[in-house]
Amino acid sequence: MAKIIAGIGYEPDKLEGYTDQRLDRLTALARATIVQLDATEVITGVDLGWQQAIALAAMSLSIPLIVAIPFDEQDKLWNEQDRERWETILFQSQKIIHVDRLPEYHAEDDARTRKRDEWMIDNCDLVLALEDEESSIIQYAKNKGKAVFNVWKSWLKYGNR
């Protein structure tokens, strides 16, 4: 039976920075959790932080990856290394969805990433989260009746070592 997992979670500012070592730890956590949840497909928005870790984990496990881009030039403010990683993920993905081009998810400026997250949740079976339980996007998922598997407490306890 197919199990589509959407990865939502914090970016580097909430993860105390974004070093190669931190990305490796995030990816290891994502990989272990994706295996535990028996995912057959993964959706991610490929933001820096947890969403890129989810993508890298899925790719390392040869699990089909759907990338949901909130808007063109999502990566324009990132450094060269982060942009190259983003392009590699896009190249290796099974499908790329430009969420801002979908009429029912179209939004302006700051709301575009929120609409992207809503699209991912609307199109998955289970949400794999790395953020506070009280976040509005986790509440959105729960209101939509989606199961949420949140690894935030594990990250706080073990991830920053």
Side-chain angles (χ1 to χ4, degrees), residues 27-102:
T27 304
L29 176 60
R31 188 175 21 256
T33 309
I34 289 169
V35 168
Q36 178 185 353
L37 296 174
D38 200 27
T40 58
E41 196 167 38
V42 172
I43 303 171
T44 180
V46 203
D47 278 338
L48 297 177
W50 180 241
Q51 289 191 15
Q52 281 199 2
I54 290 271
L56 295 170
M59 289 168 21
S60 75
L61 294 165
S62 298
I63 294 174
L65 179 66
I66 297 172
V67 171
I69 297 176
F71 54 90
D72 290 333
E73 299 181 345
Q74 172 186 10
D75 65 329
K76 77 176 184 180
L77 299 177
W78 300 351
N79 68 42
E80 185 176 342
Q81 179 183 1
D82 293 335
R83 291 172 80 177
E84 288 174 4
R85 184 182 319 106
W86 183 76
E87 289 175 4
T88 298
I89 292 168
L90 293 180
F91 182 75
Q92 294 185 36
S93 66
Q94 186 89 7
K95 184 188 291 187
I96 299 171
I97 304 294
H98 293 267
V99 177
D100 65 331
R101 297 179 191 168
L102 303 173

Side-chain angles (χ1 to χ4, degrees), residues 11-20 22-23 26 49 155 160:
E11 294 180 37
D13 61 323
K14 302 274 188 163
L15 300 171
E16 298 180 17
Y18 200 53
T19 63
D20 288 342
R22 182 144 302 128
L23 179 59
L26 285 166
W155 176 256
N160 288 325

